[in-house]
Coordinates of all heavy atoms in Angstrom, one line a residue:
G400 N -4.1 16.0 5.9 CA -2.7 15.7 5.6 C -1.9 15.9 6.8 O -2.3 16.4 7.8
V401 N -0.7 15.4 6.7 CA 0.3 15.5 7.8 C 1.5 16.2 7.3 O 2.0 16.0 6.3 CB 0.7 14.0 8.2 CG1 1.7 14.1 9.3 CG2 -0.5 13.3 8.7
W402 N 1.9 17.2 8.2 CA 3.1 17.9 7.9 C 4.3 17.3 8.7 O 4.2 17.1 9.9 CB 3.0 19.4 8.3 CG 2.0 20.1 7.4 CD1 0.7 20.2 7.6 CD2 2.3 20.7 6.1 NE1 0.1 20.9 6.6 CE2 1.1 21.2 5.6 CE3 3.4 20.8 5.4 CZ2 1.0 21.8 4.4 CZ3 3.4 21.5 4.2 CH2 2.1 22.0 3.7
L403 N 5.4 17.1 8.0 CA 6.6 16.6 8.7 C 7.8 17.6 8.5 O 7.9 18.3 7.5 CB 7.0 15.3 8.0 CG 6.0 14.1 8.0 CD1 6.5 13.0 7.2 CD2 5.8 13.6 9.5
E404 N 8.6 17.5 9.5 CA 9.9 18.3 9.4 C 10.7 17.5 8.4 O 10.6 16.3 8.2 CB 10.6 18.3 10.7 CG 9.9 19.1 11.8 CD 9.8 20.6 11.5 OE1 10.7 21.1 10.9 OE2 8.8 21.2 11.9
E405 N 11.6 18.2 7.7 CA 12.4 17.5 6.7 C 13.2 16.4 7.3 O 13.3 15.3 6.6 CB 13.4 18.6 6.1 CG 14.2 18.0 5.0 CD 15.2 19.0 4.3 OE1 15.0 20.2 4.6 OE2 16.0 18.6 3.5
T406 N 13.7 16.5 8.5 CA 14.5 15.4 9.1 C 13.6 14.2 9.4 O 14.0 13.0 9.2 CB 15.2 15.8 10.3 OG1 14.3 16.4 11.3 CG2 16.3 16.9 10.1
E407 N 12.3 14.4 9.7 CA 11.4 13.3 10.0 C 11.1 12.6 8.7 O 11.1 11.3 8.7 CB 10.1 13.8 10.6 CG 10.2 14.4 12.0 CD 8.9 15.0 12.4 OE1 8.4 15.9 11.7 OE2 8.4 14.6 13.4
F408 N 10.9 13.3 7.6 CA 10.7 12.6 6.3 C 11.9 11.8 5.9 O 11.7 10.7 5.5 CB 10.4 13.7 5.3 CG 10.1 13.1 3.9 CD1 8.9 12.4 3.7 CD2 11.1 13.2 2.9 CE1 8.7 11.9 2.4 CE2 10.8 12.7 1.7 CZ 9.7 12.0 1.4
E409 N 13.1 12.4 6.1 CA 14.3 11.6 5.7 C 14.5 10.4 6.5 O 14.9 9.3 6.0 CB 15.5 12.6 5.9 CG 15.6 13.7 4.8 CD 16.6 14.7 5.1 OE1 17.3 14.6 6.1 OE2 16.7 15.6 4.3
R410 N 14.1 10.4 7.8 CA 14.2 9.2 8.7 C 13.2 8.2 8.2 O 13.5 7.0 8.2 CB 14.0 9.6 10.1 CG 15.2 10.3 10.8 CD 15.1 10.3 12.3 NE 13.7 10.6 12.8 CZ 13.4 11.7 13.4 NH1 14.4 12.6 13.7 NH2 12.2 12.0 13.8
I411 N 12.0 8.6 7.9 CA 11.0 7.6 7.4 C 11.5 7.0 6.1 O 11.4 5.7 6.0 CB 9.7 8.3 7.2 CG1 9.1 8.7 8.6 CG2 8.7 7.4 6.5 CD1 7.9 9.7 8.5
V412 N 12.0 7.7 5.2 CA 12.4 7.2 3.9 C 13.6 6.2 4.2 O 13.7 5.1 3.6 CB 12.8 8.3 2.9 CG1 13.5 7.8 1.7 CG2 11.6 9.1 2.5
S413 N 14.5 6.6 5.0 CA 15.7 5.8 5.3 C 15.2 4.4 6.0 O 15.7 3.4 5.6 CB 16.6 6.5 6.3 OG 17.7 5.7 6.6
A414 N 14.2 4.5 6.9 CA 13.7 3.3 7.5 C 13.1 2.4 6.5 O 13.2 1.2 6.5 CB 12.8 3.6 8.6
L415 N 12.3 3.0 5.6 CA 11.6 2.2 4.5 C 12.7 1.6 3.6 O 12.5 0.4 3.2 CB 10.6 3.0 3.7 CG 9.4 3.5 4.5 CD1 8.6 4.5 3.7 CD2 8.6 2.3 4.9
E416 N 13.7 2.3 3.2 CA 14.7 1.8 2.4 C 15.4 0.6 3.0 O 15.7 -0.4 2.4 CB 15.8 2.8 2.0 CG 15.2 3.8 1.0 CD 16.2 5.0 0.8 OE1 17.1 5.2 1.6 OE2 16.0 5.7 -0.3
H417 N 15.7 0.7 4.3 CA 16.3 -0.4 5.1 C 15.4 -1.6 5.1 O 15.9 -2.7 4.9 CB 16.6 0.1 6.5 CG 17.2 -1.0 7.4 ND1 18.5 -1.5 7.2 CD2 16.6 -1.7 8.3 CE1 18.7 -2.5 8.1 NE2 17.5 -2.6 8.8
E418 N 14.1 -1.4 5.3 CA 13.2 -2.5 5.3 C 13.2 -3.2 4.0 O 13.2 -4.5 3.9 CB 11.8 -2.0 5.7 CG 10.8 -3.2 5.8 CD 9.5 -2.7 6.3 OE1 9.4 -1.7 7.0 OE2 8.5 -3.4 6.0
V419 N 13.1 -2.5 2.9 CA 13.1 -3.1 1.6 C 14.4 -3.8 1.3 O 14.4 -4.9 0.7 CB 12.8 -2.0 0.5 CG1 13.1 -2.5 -0.9 CG2 11.4 -1.5 0.6
D420 N 15.5 -3.3 1.7 CA 16.8 -3.9 1.5 C 17.0 -5.2 2.3 O 17.8 -6.0 1.9 CB 18.0 -2.9 1.7 CG 18.0 -1.8 0.7 OD1 17.4 -1.9 -0.4 OD2 18.7 -0.8 1.0
T421 N 16.4 -5.3 3.4 CA 16.7 -6.4 4.3 C 15.6 -7.5 4.4 O 15.9 -8.6 4.8 CB 17.0 -5.9 5.8 OG1 15.8 -5.2 6.2 CG2 18.2 -5.0 5.8
R422 N 14.4 -7.2 3.9 CA 13.3 -8.1 4.0 C 13.4 -9.1 2.8 O 13.6 -8.6 1.6 CB 12.0 -7.4 3.9 CG 10.8 -8.3 4.1 CD 9.5 -7.5 4.1 NE 9.3 -6.9 5.4 CZ 8.2 -6.4 5.8 NH1 7.1 -6.5 5.0 NH2 8.1 -5.9 7.0
P423 N 13.2 -10.4 3.0 CA 13.2 -11.3 1.8 C 12.0 -11.0 0.9 O 11.0 -10.6 1.3 CB 13.0 -12.7 2.5 CG 13.3 -12.5 3.9 CD 13.1 -11.1 4.3
A424 N 12.2 -11.2 -0.4 CA 11.3 -10.8 -1.4 C 9.9 -11.4 -1.1 O 8.9 -10.7 -1.2 CB 11.8 -11.2 -2.8
P425 N 9.7 -12.7 -0.8 CA 8.4 -13.2 -0.6 C 7.7 -12.6 0.6 O 6.5 -12.3 0.5 CB 8.6 -14.7 -0.3 CG 9.9 -15.0 -1.0 CD 10.7 -13.8 -0.8
E426 N 8.4 -12.3 1.6 CA 7.8 -11.6 2.8 C 7.4 -10.2 2.4 O 6.3 -9.7 2.8 CB 8.9 -11.5 3.9 CG 8.3 -11.0 5.2 CD 9.3 -10.9 6.3 OE1 10.2 -11.8 6.4 OE2 9.3 -10.0 7.1
Y427 N 8.2 -9.5 1.6 CA 7.9 -8.1 1.2 C 6.6 -8.2 0.3 O 5.7 -7.3 0.5 CB 9.1 -7.6 0.4 CG 8.9 -6.1 0.0 CD1 8.9 -5.1 0.9 CD2 8.6 -5.8 -1.4 CE1 8.7 -3.8 0.5 CE2 8.4 -4.5 -1.8 CZ 8.4 -3.5 -0.8 OH 8.2 -2.2 -1.2
L428 N 6.5 -9.1 -0.6 CA 5.3 -9.2 -1.4 C 4.1 -9.5 -0.6 O 3.1 -8.9 -0.8 CB 5.5 -10.4 -2.5 CG 4.4 -10.6 -3.4 CD1 4.0 -9.3 -4.2 CD2 4.7 -11.7 -4.3
R429 N 4.2 -10.4 0.4 CA 3.1 -10.7 1.3 C 2.6 -9.4 2.0 O 1.4 -9.1 2.1 CB 3.4 -11.8 2.3 CG 3.2 -13.2 1.8 CD 3.2 -14.2 2.9 NE 4.5 -14.2 3.6 CZ 5.6 -14.8 3.2 NH1 5.6 -15.5 2.1 NH2 6.7 -14.8 4.0
A430 N 3.6 -8.7 2.5 CA 3.2 -7.4 3.2 C 2.6 -6.4 2.3 O 1.6 -5.7 2.7 CB 4.5 -6.9 3.9
A431 N 3.1 -6.3 1.1 CA 2.6 -5.3 0.1 C 1.1 -5.7 -0.3 O 0.3 -4.9 -0.4 CB 3.5 -5.3 -1.1
L432 N 0.9 -7.0 -0.5 CA -0.4 -7.5 -0.8 C -1.4 -7.3 0.3 O -2.6 -6.9 0.1 CB -0.4 -8.9 -1.2 CG 0.2 -9.2 -2.6 CD1 0.3 -10.7 -2.8 CD2 -0.6 -8.6 -3.7
H433 N -0.9 -7.5 1.6 CA -1.7 -7.2 2.7 C -2.2 -5.8 2.8 O -3.3 -5.4 3.1 CB -1.0 -7.6 4.0 CG -1.7 -7.3 5.3 ND1 -2.8 -8.0 5.7 CD2 -1.5 -6.3 6.2 CE1 -3.2 -7.5 6.8 NE2 -2.5 -6.5 7.1
E434 N -1.2 -4.9 2.6 CA -1.5 -3.4 2.6 C -2.5 -3.1 1.5 O -3.4 -2.3 1.7 CB -0.2 -2.6 2.5 CG 0.7 -2.7 3.7 CD 0.0 -2.2 5.0 OE1 -0.7 -1.2 4.9 OE2 0.3 -2.7 6.0
A435 N -2.3 -3.6 0.3 CA -3.2 -3.3 -0.8 C -4.6 -3.8 -0.5 O -5.6 -3.2 -0.7 CB -2.7 -4.0 -2.1
R436 N -4.7 -5.0 0.1 CA -6.0 -5.6 0.5 C -6.7 -4.7 1.5 O -7.9 -4.4 1.4 CB -5.8 -7.0 1.1 CG -7.1 -7.8 1.2 CD -6.8 -9.2 1.7 NE -5.8 -9.9 0.9 CZ -4.7 -10.4 1.4 NH1 -4.4 -10.2 2.7 NH2 -3.8 -11.0 0.6
Q437 N -5.9 -4.2 2.5 CA -6.5 -3.3 3.4 C -7.0 -2.0 2.8 O -8.1 -1.4 3.2 CB -5.6 -3.0 4.6 CG -5.4 -4.1 5.5 CD -4.7 -3.7 6.8 OE1 -3.9 -2.8 6.8 NE2 -4.9 -4.4 7.8
L438 N -6.3 -1.5 1.8 CA -6.7 -0.3 1.1 C -8.1 -0.5 0.4 O -8.9 0.4 0.4 CB -5.7 0.2 0.1 CG -4.5 1.0 0.6 CD1 -3.5 1.2 -0.5 CD2 -4.9 2.3 1.2
L439 N -8.2 -1.7 -0.1 CA -9.4 -2.0 -0.9 C -10.6 -2.4 -0.1 O -11.7 -2.3 -0.6 CB -9.0 -3.0 -2.0 CG -8.0 -2.6 -3.0 CD1 -7.6 -3.8 -3.9 CD2 -8.5 -1.5 -3.9
T440 N -10.3 -3.0 1.1 CA -11.4 -3.6 1.8 C -11.6 -3.0 3.2 O -12.4 -3.5 4.0 CB -11.2 -5.1 2.0 OG1 -10.0 -5.3 2.7 CG2 -11.2 -5.8 0.6
G441 N -10.8 -1.9 3.5 CA -10.9 -1.3 4.9 C -12.2 -0.6 5.1 O -13.2 -0.7 4.3
P442 N -12.4 0.1 6.2 CA -13.6 0.7 6.6 C -14.1 1.7 5.5 O -15.3 1.9 5.4 CB -13.3 1.5 7.9 CG -11.9 1.2 8.2 CD -11.3 0.3 7.2
Q443 N -13.2 2.4 4.9 CA -13.5 3.3 3.8 C -12.8 2.8 2.5 O -11.7 3.3 2.2 CB -13.1 4.7 4.0 CG -14.1 5.4 5.0 CD -13.7 6.9 5.1 OE1 -12.6 7.3 5.4 NE2 -14.7 7.7 4.7
P444 N -13.4 1.8 1.8 CA -12.6 1.2 0.7 C -12.2 2.3 -0.3 O -13.0 3.2 -0.6 CB -13.6 0.2 0.1 CG -14.6 -0.1 1.2 CD -14.7 1.2 2.0
L445 N -11.1 2.0 -0.9 CA -10.6 2.9 -1.9 C -11.6 3.0 -3.1 O -11.7 4.0 -3.8 CB -9.2 2.4 -2.4 CG -8.4 3.2 -3.4 CD1 -8.1 4.6 -2.8 CD2 -7.2 2.5 -3.8
L446 N -12.3 1.9 -3.3 CA -13.3 1.9 -4.4 C -14.3 3.0 -4.3 O -14.8 3.5 -5.3 CB -14.0 0.5 -4.4 CG -13.1 -0.7 -4.9 CD1 -14.0 -2.0 -4.7 CD2 -12.6 -0.5 -6.3
D447 N -14.6 3.3 -3.1 CA -15.7 4.4 -2.9 C -15.2 5.8 -3.3 O -16.0 6.6 -3.6 CB -16.1 4.4 -1.4 CG -16.8 3.2 -0.9 OD1 -17.3 2.4 -1.8 OD2 -16.9 3.0 0.3
E448 N -13.9 6.0 -3.3 CA -13.3 7.3 -3.6 C -12.6 7.4 -4.9 O -12.3 8.5 -5.3 CB -12.4 7.7 -2.4 CG -13.1 7.7 -1.1 CD -12.1 7.9 0.1 OE1 -11.0 8.4 -0.2 OE2 -12.4 7.6 1.2
Y449 N -12.3 6.3 -5.5 CA -11.4 6.4 -6.7 C -12.3 6.5 -8.0 O -13.2 5.7 -8.1 CB -10.5 5.2 -6.7 CG -9.3 5.3 -7.6 CD1 -8.3 6.2 -7.3 CD2 -9.3 4.6 -8.8 CE1 -7.2 6.3 -8.1 CE2 -8.2 4.7 -9.7 CZ -7.2 5.6 -9.3 OH -6.1 5.7 -10.2
H450 N -11.9 7.4 -8.9 CA -12.7 7.6 -10.1 C -12.5 6.5 -11.1 O -13.2 6.5 -12.1 CB -12.5 9.0 -10.6 CG -11.1 9.2 -11.2 ND1 -10.0 9.4 -10.4 CD2 -10.7 9.2 -12.4 CE1 -9.0 9.6 -11.2 NE2 -9.3 9.4 -12.4
R451 N -11.4 5.7 -11.1 CA -11.1 4.7 -12.1 C -11.6 3.4 -11.5 O -10.8 2.4 -11.5 CB -9.7 4.7 -12.4 CG -9.3 6.1 -13.1 CD -7.9 6.1 -13.5 NE -7.7 5.2 -14.7 CZ -6.6 5.1 -15.3 NH1 -5.5 5.7 -15.0 NH2 -6.5 4.2 -16.4
K452 N -12.8 3.3 -11.1 CA -13.3 2.1 -10.4 C -13.1 0.8 -11.2 O -12.8 -0.2 -10.5 CB -14.8 2.4 -10.1 CG -15.3 1.4 -9.1 CD -16.7 1.8 -8.6 CE -17.3 0.9 -7.6 NZ -18.5 1.3 -7.1
P453 N -13.4 0.7 -12.5 CA -13.2 -0.6 -13.1 C -11.8 -1.2 -13.0 O -11.6 -2.4 -12.7 CB -13.5 -0.3 -14.6 CG -14.4 0.9 -14.6 CD -13.9 1.7 -13.4
E454 N -10.7 -0.3 -13.1 CA -9.4 -0.8 -12.9 C -9.1 -1.3 -11.5 O -8.4 -2.3 -11.3 CB -8.4 0.3 -13.3 CG -8.4 0.6 -14.8 CD -9.3 1.7 -15.2 OE1 -10.2 2.0 -14.4 OE2 -9.2 2.3 -16.3
I455 N -9.6 -0.5 -10.5 CA -9.4 -0.9 -9.1 C -10.2 -2.2 -8.8 O -9.7 -3.0 -8.1 CB -9.8 0.3 -8.2 CG1 -8.9 1.5 -8.3 CG2 -9.9 -0.2 -6.7 CD1 -7.5 1.2 -8.0
E456 N -11.4 -2.3 -9.3 CA -12.1 -3.6 -9.1 C -11.4 -4.8 -9.7 O -11.3 -5.8 -9.1 CB -13.5 -3.5 -9.7 CG -14.4 -2.5 -8.9 CD -15.8 -2.3 -9.6 OE1 -15.9 -2.5 -10.8 OE2 -16.7 -2.0 -8.9
A457 N -10.8 -4.6 -10.9 CA -10.0 -5.7 -11.4 C -8.8 -6.0 -10.6 O -8.5 -7.2 -10.3 CB -9.5 -5.3 -12.9
L458 N -8.1 -5.0 -10.0 CA -7.0 -5.2 -9.2 C -7.4 -5.9 -7.9 O -6.8 -6.9 -7.4 CB -6.3 -3.9 -8.8 CG -5.2 -4.0 -7.8 CD1 -4.0 -4.8 -8.3 CD2 -4.7 -2.6 -7.5
Y459 N -8.6 -5.5 -7.3 CA -9.1 -6.1 -6.1 C -9.4 -7.6 -6.4 O -9.1 -8.5 -5.6 CB -10.4 -5.4 -5.7 CG -11.1 -6.2 -4.6 CD1 -10.6 -6.2 -3.3 CD2 -12.3 -6.9 -4.9 CE1 -11.3 -6.9 -2.3 CE2 -13.0 -7.6 -3.9 CZ -12.5 -7.6 -2.6 OH -13.1 -8.3 -1.7
R460 N -10.0 -7.9 -7.5 CA -10.3 -9.4 -7.8 C -9.0 -10.2 -7.9 O -8.9 -11.3 -7.4 CB -11.1 -9.5 -9.1 CG -12.5 -9.1 -9.0 CD -13.3 -9.5 -10.2 NE -12.9 -8.8 -11.4 CZ -13.2 -7.6 -11.8 NH1 -14.1 -6.9 -11.0 NH2 -12.8 -7.1 -12.9
R461 N -7.9 -9.6 -8.5 CA -6.7 -10.3 -8.6 C -6.1 -10.6 -7.2 O -5.6 -11.6 -6.9 CB -5.7 -9.6 -9.5 CG -6.2 -9.5 -10.9 CD -5.2 -8.8 -11.8 NE -4.2 -9.7 -12.2 CZ -3.2 -9.4 -13.0 NH1 -3.0 -8.2 -13.3 NH2 -2.3 -10.3 -13.4
I462 N -6.1 -9.5 -6.3 CA -5.6 -9.7 -5.0 C -6.4 -10.7 -4.2 O -5.9 -11.5 -3.5 CB -5.5 -8.3 -4.3 CG1 -4.5 -7.4 -4.9 CG2 -5.3 -8.5 -2.8 CD1 -4.5 -6.0 -4.4
R463 N -7.7 -10.6 -4.3 CA -8.6 -11.6 -3.6 C -8.3 -13.0 -4.0 O -8.2 -13.9 -3.2 CB -10.0 -11.2 -3.9 CG -11.0 -12.1 -3.1 CD -12.4 -11.8 -3.5 NE -12.5 -12.2 -4.9 CZ -13.3 -11.6 -5.8 NH1 -14.1 -10.7 -5.5 NH2 -13.4 -12.0 -7.1
D464 N -8.1 -13.2 -5.3 CA -7.8 -14.5 -5.8 C -6.4 -15.1 -5.3 O -6.2 -16.3 -5.2 CB -7.8 -14.5 -7.4 CG -9.2 -14.3 -7.9 OD1 -10.2 -14.4 -7.1 OD2 -9.3 -14.0 -9.1
L465 N -5.5 -14.2 -5.0 CA -4.2 -14.6 -4.5 C -4.3 -15.0 -3.0 O -3.4 -15.7 -2.5 CB -3.2 -13.4 -4.6 CG -2.7 -13.1 -6.1 CD1 -1.8 -11.9 -6.1 CD2 -2.0 -14.3 -6.7
A466 N -5.2 -14.4 -2.3 CA -5.3 -14.7 -0.9 C -5.8 -16.1 -0.6 O -6.3 -16.8 -1.3 CB -6.3 -13.7 -0.3

């Protein structure tokens, strides 16, 4: 895990809020799907560690079909 000072955490949250508020919805969705795809297909796929594997596999198939 990573420990952050309270001000660092607040700056990160503020930056993320700004990004969500200013990014067009289709661009935000593409970025979110990209991140989800990386979680599921990266060097250590989430599927290997997650105990609710059937639900994650279904989500992975839906994301793959969108790509």
